[in-house]
Amino acid sequence: MQAATYGKSAEVRSRIEPDLKKQSTEVLADLGLDLSGAIRLFLRQVVEVGGLPFEVRKPTPETVAAMMEARAMSAARYGSSKELFDGLDKQAGKGKARASAKKG
């Protein structure tokens, strides 16, 4: 790959979640990169490989079903872990409620 020798004058803007920015900045710092450097690296790889530098696949029907189930479950709110597990058991069609764990 040939290094570019021209100046950096183009600007790229993107709005992302603050937590994603914070976490990715921390990971990249451990690798000796900042966000700008990582974006430059990513874009150079896009050019080098002629597309995304990683595989992107359409999710399988099983994955889509699992994602929809997870979204439906996150919509439900439970007051305790016992209520959560009882709700999961009910969704799974189990007739009896889960016995609560005893501390001993």
Side-chain angles (χ1 to χ4, degrees), residues 19-91:
D19 194 48
L20 175 60
K21 180 181 178 187
K22 178 182 179 293
Q23 290 178 21
S24 60
T25 299
E26 291 169 358
V27 171
L28 292 169
D30 289 342
L31 299 172
L33 292 168
D34 61 9
L35 282 175
S36 292
I39 292 169
R40 249 188 322 280
L41 178 63
F42 170 74
L43 294 175
R44 285 187 179 134
Q45 285 298 301
V46 166
V47 171
E48 182 72 20
V49 301
L52 292 174
F54 46 81
E55 185 177 359
V56 177
R57 299 179 295 169
K58 182 178 178 181
T60 65
E62 293 83 9
T63 301
V64 171
M67 291 183 336
M68 291 174 65
E69 181 181 355
R71 286 185 187 124
M73 289 173 56
S74 69
R77 300 287 181 219
Y78 300 97
S80 69
S81 59
K82 181 182 181 321
E83 288 179 13
L84 168 65
F85 286 113
D86 288 346
L88 291 172
D89 286 342
K90 183 177 179 182
Q91 285 180 356

